[in-house]
Amino acid sequence: MKTFKTLIILGVLLLLNSCREAPKKYIRTPLDKIVTTYMNTQNYSVILKDMDFNKDTNKYLHKYKIILEEKVNTTASLEDDFIVKLTDWEEVSAITFEEYQKDLGMTVLSKKNGVLDKKSMPAGYNSHVGNSKYGNWQQQNNGSSFWVYYVQYRFMSSLFYGSSHRYYRNDYNYYRTNHYGKSNYYGRTNTFGTSTYKNTNASWNSKSQTFKNDVRSNVKKSSSALKSRGYRSSRSYSNSRQTSRNSNRYSNLGSSRSRSGGFGK
C-alpha cells in the first residue's frame, strides 16, 4: 500500500513537472550589443536606418544609426556635441525582424539621463522634440502647431526623421499622455514608421511590394517556429534591467561628427 501511494505521488509530481512552461530562451540582438557598448553614455538614440532580407543566405538584416550626445567643451559648432555612428548590416533573428518590421526610420532604443527605453517612437521624440532647449512649437493659421528647431540646432532635423517631415504638437502631446514609457507609438494616424518612411537610400524602400509581402509572410512563419521552441527577443527585458559590461566591443562601427556629413547610404 505504501509503495502504491509513493508511485501515485511520483506520478503526480511528474505530471506537474511536464505541465510547467518551458523556460524562455532569449535571443541576443545587435541592440543588446549597443546597450553594452555604451553603458557609460548617459544620452543616445538608436534609429533603425534600414532593413533587408538576403534570399541567398536566408538571413534577416538590420542597419542602425546611433546618435551619441557627448558634450564637447569647445567654442565650435553645437553639432560637435552629437556623434553619429552607422553600423554595417547586422544579422537579426526572425523574431527580432518581425518585432521591428514597422519601425523603419524610427528610434528603436534610446537612453535619457541614464534611463533606457526600448519602446519604438518617432525619431527625436525621446528627448529633443518638445524640449525648449532645442526649439519651440510654431502655430499655423489653422491653429495647429508643429515643431521648429532654433537656428543653431537646425541640423538636428537631418539627424532624425528629416527636415521635410513635420512633428505636430497634437501628435506629440498624445504620445506623452498615452504612450510615453508604456508602448510603441506610430502617430495617431500611423504617420511614422516603415509605411511612411521615404528615405530613397534605404534598401527596403527599393524593394518591390511582392518582395516585401513575401518577407513578411516568411518571417511570420519563422518567428512562430522559434517561439514554439521557447525563444523570444530580449526586448521584453525590463528597461531597468542592468546589462553587464562586455569586452566584445562594437568593432564594426564607423563614426563621425554630425557636421562631417558621414551619414552613409
Side-chain angles (χ1 to χ4, degrees), residues 187-211:
R188 291 175 301 160
T189 56
N190 291 317
T191 315
F192 300 91
T194 304
S195 62
T196 60
Y197 189 59
K198 304 303 181 185
N199 188 336
T200 56
N201 290 327
S203 295
W204 186 254
N205 287 341
S206 68
K207 306 298 183 182
S208 69
Q209 193 58 49
T210 299
F211 175 89

Side-chain angles (χ1 to χ4, degrees), residues 218-245:
N218 291 335
V219 77
K220 185 176 181 179
K221 295 175 184 176
S222 299
S223 177
S224 295
L226 284 172
K227 290 176 181 177
S228 69
R229 292 160 52 195
Y231 287 99
R232 61 175 172 171
S233 168
S234 60
R235 190 181 198 184
S236 58
Y237 283 171
S238 167
N239 286 346
S240 61
R241 182 181 177 87
Q242 295 298 313
T243 305
S244 59
R245 184 179 297 277

Side-chain angles (χ1 to χ4, degrees), residues 18-56:
S18 65
C19 292
R20 288 178 181 172
E21 184 180 356
K24 297 294 183 182
K25 293 171 280 189
Y26 293 96
I27 299 176
R28 187 172 173 80
T29 73
L31 292 175
D32 296 320
K33 287 199 298 183
I34 292 173
V35 170
T36 301
T37 301
Y38 298 107
M39 280 189 65
N40 297 324
T41 302
Q42 294 297 298
N43 298 283
Y44 63 77
S45 300
V46 181
I47 295 170
L48 179 56
K49 180 177 174 58
D50 209 346
M51 59 188 187
D52 205 350
F53 175 70
N54 188 318
K55 289 185 176 181
D56 295 330

Side-chain angles (χ1 to χ4, degrees), residues 84-175:
V84 177
K85 294 176 178 283
L86 301 178
T87 73
D88 293 329
W89 285 110
E90 297 276 356
E91 182 180 357
V92 297
S93 70
I95 290 178
T96 300
F97 194 91
E98 183 183 42
E99 284 184 334
Y100 293 95
Q101 62 184 337
K102 294 172 56 180
D103 299 342
L104 186 61
M106 297 182 67
T107 293
V108 292
L109 172 69
S110 60
K111 194 174 184 182
K112 181 178 179 181
N113 298 325
V115 179
L116 279 174
D117 190 344
K118 295 183 178 181
K119 304 293 188 301
S120 297
M121 68 192 80
Y125 261 37
N126 54 315
S127 57
H128 304 95
V129 175
N131 188 333
S132 59
K133 173 183 176 181
Y134 301 111
N136 57 27
W137 297 104
Q138 188 171 106
Q139 191 169 26
Q140 301 180 111
N141 293 332
N142 62 6
S144 64
S145 300
F146 63 95
W147 182 253
V148 177
Y149 287 105
Y150 298 135
V151 173
Q152 65 270 36
Y153 288 109
R154 196 64 53 82
F155 66 90
M156 294 180 71
S157 62
S158 63
L159 292 181
F160 300 116
Y161 213 85
S163 58
S164 62
H165 193 96
R166 285 186 173 179
Y167 294 86
Y168 286 96
R169 189 168 192 170
N170 287 341
D171 258 339
Y172 177 78
N173 288 344
Y174 189 86
Y175 161 76

Side-chain angles (χ1 to χ4, degrees), residues 58-69:
N58 198 39
K59 290 182 178 180
Y60 298 99
L61 304 166
H62 274 179
K63 185 180 286 188
Y64 304 96
K65 176 195 286 188
I66 306 171
I67 303 171
L68 305 170
E69 295 181 45

